[in-house]
Amino acid sequence: MASFSIEDFVGDGVLKELLPKLLEEGWDDVPTLKIMNSEDMDAINMTQYQKDALEIRTYLHDRSLMQYGDKLETSRKCLAELLNLSSKELSSQFGMKRGHIARFTDRINACTDPLPKSYDLGAARKNTGTPTRKNTIHKIQSIAKSFGRSSTYDDRSLEESLAGFKIKDGYIFKGIVAAGPAEARACGCIQPPPVVDSVAPYAAIENISVQRLTPVYKIGMEPLVKSKAPPMKASELWRDKPAVLLCIRRPGCIMCRAEAHQLYAKKPIFDALGVQMFAVLHEHIESEVKDFWPRYWGGVVILDRTMEFFKALGGGKLLKDKFLSGFLFNPRAIANYKRAKALGIAQNFKGEGEIKGGLFIVGQGGTGIAYQFIERNFGDWAPVAETIEICARLQNQQQDQGDSSKSPQEYK
């Protein structure tokens, strides 16, 4: 799976010399860098060679083929030209393996759901006179906001590009508390573990003692928190902004890594909605944190040593499952494993792997838990469309509350 380390993303080619400028202009993480458009590139005086290199690397990152970035870039061919090469040419000129050629030439199915390539829509943009990066983010924000209410945005191309993240007409919510299906295993001999059907009380999470293990990844950031960060109350995490908390069963697990990577790839949308992202671990194995961040998750990683977030997902007790009954005899878990395996993710078996994880969306301040997803089967992922929908509703609620507090003069 392609890394979220921006140094890994730009490689040793022509983009490397741009790192100081990218940092200065705020293009300092991979998901945000990938949404650059032509005006953004012109604003920092990128050459055509650098523009082509960014397009190639973005395409490769979506398909977990970054190992070919330097070779393809030095060919001086643009992405369109490379895609028109034959399989024999891709193999002989760049040493591309047969399976990788199939993935490279598949223009539709990416390993991660790519955000819309904004630079393809540059002609449709309006000149507002503000810095171009703000314009790009504003576009994403305008569409993201429409998830929670009817869309009136006029950039139809971008809206269609983001349609995959939007709740479709007729979609049935799993509910505020969501989980995978409860299917009997081993011909009905093994019953799936029960899950709670009501959201955890806010009191169960607000006073949890957590410890920050990593910062948000940026260019030039120290790889990990050098000194041991002091414990803090969990409520400090969402004091000023809503938060998505992804509770990781085990950071070396192939399915956990895949879910984290898929979710963090949507960072520009969550940024536009004003929502923070945290990964929550229940044990601290330093080598595992280093392998996990920022390759699979570029956001803050926190430690819940007492496992209170995980207990809250299970209704007050840890939701656990055995490898034999929960995986080998569970077709849904095996399907989840195959889905992650297809993304080319490495894995290991270090650490506790029986404690189920999940996801919380918590409103700003003390407004409570807005959404809770429980990993019933090993490798279940919270639906991205639901996650974004709930975050959009939170933002719309905050805006409505802000509007209602305005005086009549402020509306004029």
Side-chain angles (χ1 to χ4, degrees), residues 249-271:
R249 179 166 46 82
R250 191 173 60 81
C253 167
I254 188 172
M255 295 175 285
C256 298
R257 287 177 169 183
E259 180 183 17
H261 196 282
Q262 293 278 350
L263 186 64
Y264 196 75
K266 314 304 183 296
K267 178 181 180 289
I269 295 180
F270 291 105
D271 283 348

Side-chain angles (χ1 to χ4, degrees), residues 9-15 48-97 100-105:
F9 180 82
V10 302
D12 295 320
V14 294
L15 295 177
Q48 187 59 49
Y49 186 20
Q50 290 168 333
K51 292 178 182 180
D52 290 342
L54 179 56
E55 183 179 20
I56 290 169
R57 290 181 180 276
T58 297
Y59 186 86
L60 294 176
H61 194 272
D62 289 337
R63 286 156 180 78
S64 296
L65 294 173
M66 289 301 291
Q67 65 267 42
Y68 300 107
D70 289 341
K71 290 182 179 180
L72 294 178
E73 180 184 315
T74 54
S75 71
R76 291 275 183 167
K77 291 181 170 64
C78 67
L79 179 60
E81 292 173 318
L82 291 169
L83 288 172
N84 285 328
L85 294 177
S86 67
S87 297
K88 185 177 181 179
E89 288 172 318
L90 290 171
S91 176
S92 61
Q93 294 181 30
F94 307 110
M96 199 174 288
K97 298 178 181 178
H100 293 167
I101 291 173
R103 197 188 304 168
F104 178 76
T105 54

Side-chain angles (χ1 to χ4, degrees), residues 388-406:
I388 294 175
E389 169 81 11
I390 296 296
C391 290
R393 290 182 183 182
L394 288 177
Q395 188 196 53
N396 291 333
Q397 289 172 5
Q398 291 175 6
Q399 290 178 341
D400 291 343
Q401 291 171 359
D403 291 343
S404 64
S405 64
K406 289 183 179 179

Side-chain angles (χ1 to χ4, degrees), residues 1-2 4 31 62 64 110-115 165 246 254-268 270 277 295-297 339-340 342-343 345 381-382 384 388:
M1 178 65 76
F4 282 122
D62 289 337
S64 296
C111 292
T112 57
D113 297 328
L115 286 173
F165 304 126
L246 178 62
I254 188 172
M255 295 175 285
C256 298
R257 287 177 169 183
E259 180 183 17
H261 196 282
Q262 293 278 350
L263 186 64
Y264 196 75
K266 314 304 183 296
K267 178 181 180 289
F270 291 105
M277 304 177 75
R295 182 171 186 82
Y296 303 102
W297 179 268
R339 172 179 61 175
L343 302 180
I345 300 176
W381 296 355
V384 174
I388 294 175

Side-chain angles (χ1 to χ4, degrees), residues 212-263:
R212 191 183 295 257
L213 299 180
T214 76
V216 175
Y217 176 78
K218 300 289 183 183
I219 300 174
M221 179 70 69
E222 289 292 339
L224 296 173
V225 176
K226 278 188 172 180
S227 58
K228 188 175 181 180
M232 59 186 292
K233 279 189 177 181
S235 56
E236 292 295 308
L237 300 175
W238 53 81
R239 179 182 59 189
D240 301 319
K241 293 181 178 180
V244 171
L245 297 106
L246 178 62
C247 298
I248 302 290
R249 179 166 46 82
R250 191 173 60 81
C253 167
I254 188 172
M255 295 175 285
C256 298
R257 287 177 169 183
E259 180 183 17
H261 196 282
Q262 293 278 350
L263 186 64

